[in-house]
Amino acid sequence: MMDTKIYGGQTAVTAVGTAAASAKKGSGGGFGKMLEELRDKERQVSVNFSKHAMVRAEERGIELTPDLMDKLAGSIERAQEKGATNILAFDATQAFILNVPYGRVITAMSQDEMKENIFTNIDGAVLL
């Protein structure tokens, strides 16, 4: 489940992590259901794109699909669990530098840019 809002040149996307989505499937009724809904709200991870990242994604033809946004939110969740603060989240065709505490995408790059870059000031990497 995702909610996208654009304001002040920033895009905020809230995606429910996979653990929360699977918890919903097994929910019963009454108090148990209310408790699980509260837990789901705590598990939501917000992914924000800086203005720079939005421009780069557009220039480089990176499509911000719901699936990609879920993967980025999951990357932030996993990085938080490990205590990382700045990560590289990537697959074979694209890469993103994310600031974990703020859930913010700092920049986005395509496969061509990845070949020519050295990634510094990161303390973790996550495969999308």
Side-chain angles (χ1 to χ4, degrees), residues 4-123:
T4 305
K5 297 175 184 159
I6 300 176
Y7 54 93
Q10 304 269 335
T11 300
V13 178
T14 304
V16 176
T18 55
S22 62
K24 274 189 176 178
K25 291 178 186 174
S27 63
F31 181 74
K33 183 177 180 182
M34 281 183 14
L35 185 59
E36 285 191 34
E37 287 174 1
L38 287 172
R39 286 184 184 150
D40 288 349
K41 287 181 182 180
E42 290 175 6
R43 291 182 182 134
Q44 288 185 348
V45 173
S46 179
V47 179
N48 300 305
F49 276 73
S50 68
K51 186 174 181 178
H52 170 81
M54 287 298 293
V55 169
R56 293 293 179 254
E58 187 177 322
E59 287 175 351
R60 295 166 177 168
I62 297 172
E63 186 178 351
L64 304 177
T65 64
D67 182 52
L68 175 61
M69 299 308 295
D70 285 341
K71 288 179 181 179
L72 291 173
S75 297
I76 290 172
E77 280 184 298
R78 291 182 297 191
Q80 285 172 337
E81 291 170 6
K82 297 292 184 178
T85 55
N86 292 296
I87 64 167
L88 169 68
F90 67 101
D91 63 15
T93 61
Q94 56 202 357
F96 303 88
I97 302 291
L98 294 105
N99 178 276
V100 175
Y102 292 100
R104 178 167 297 227
V105 178
I106 304 302
T107 195
M109 61 197 74
S110 65
Q111 186 178 28
D112 291 335
E113 286 89 18
M114 285 191 291
K115 291 177 186 176
E116 300 172 10
N117 277 315
I118 296 174
F119 302 102
T120 59
N121 298 326
I122 61 170
D123 56 1

